[in-house]
Amino acid sequence: MRIIGHRGARREAPENTLAGFRHLRALGIDHVELDVRLSRDNQLVVLHDTTVNRTTNGKGAVRDMTADELGALNAAANFSGWNDSTPVPLLRDVLAEWNDLESIQLEVKTTAIANLHIIATGLVQLINELDLIDVATVTSMDTQMLAIMHQKAPDVRRGYVAERFTRDPLAMCHLYQCDLLATNYHRASPQLIDAAHDQGLELSVWTVNDLNVARRLYDWGADSIITDVPTLMLEHLPQCASDT
């Protein structure tokens, strides 16, 4: 069972930042999940929310700011105890410095369909340019994004992100020809994991910060857990450490 850093290592370092991803690598983990959004000048940036308010020292919608404006913000401003400034990064910059990346889930949030097309085109370009076809999976709760990716680049892996009360996530994966199901940990069960494997799907569970939950998922055969606390998981799940 792989340990995947959630937005880097969300409780240990500023989320979705170069500093956070470097922290994850320093732990020996080269498996990561991060969030992709679009700047005003149509650059792919790494940030979870629709606005910069929660995670930076700025205010406003991500889509209303250029990549340079986002890069001038401090994305660690609201992370307690972190003194170094770190910007909202371009996705390209995150990928370019991660030479030993083993797997990455690129989650695309729901947005206007025109934006989804731009994001999909940018992702395909980066994946091909940086030779990430074997490590990258484009994931989303938005089935329009999955359909667009299938149309533009059917060879790029896709993953459906299922929330706690999503109806029949396996059917959604089949409909959009996904390779991965990323499910909320409340939804995970031995039956779902076995059924996903029978369908040829990789099963990833988010967001797992409790050791007892992680141990159950390991026993049930989950392929990976997405966690905010990778250090804790490495310390107490030694059977997982060898796969990171």
Side-chain angles (χ1 to χ4, degrees), residues 123-168:
L123 287 174
V124 173
Q125 179 181 342
L126 277 177
I127 289 168
N128 289 331
E129 178 185 335
L130 300 176
D131 194 24
L132 298 174
I133 195 70
D134 293 329
V135 300
T137 303
V138 177
T139 69
S140 189
M141 296 179 183
D142 191 329
T143 54
Q144 291 183 114
M145 183 63 191
L146 300 177
I148 290 167
M149 284 300 302
H150 182 252
Q151 180 184 33
K152 288 182 180 291
D155 57 327
V156 173
R157 285 168 50 91
R158 294 174 300 284
Y160 178 59
V161 180
E163 296 184 282
R164 183 174 184 178
F165 298 107
T166 300
R167 292 184 61 187
D168 206 345

Side-chain angles (χ1 to χ4, degrees), residues 4 13 17 29 35 52 60 64 73 79 89 94 105 113 126 128 144 147 157 208 244:
I4 298 175
T17 63
I29 297 178
D35 303 289
V52 301
D64 292 340
L73 298 175
F79 191 88
V94 173
Q105 294 183 25
I113 193 165
L126 277 177
N128 289 331
Q144 291 183 114
R157 285 168 50 91
V208 182
T244 63

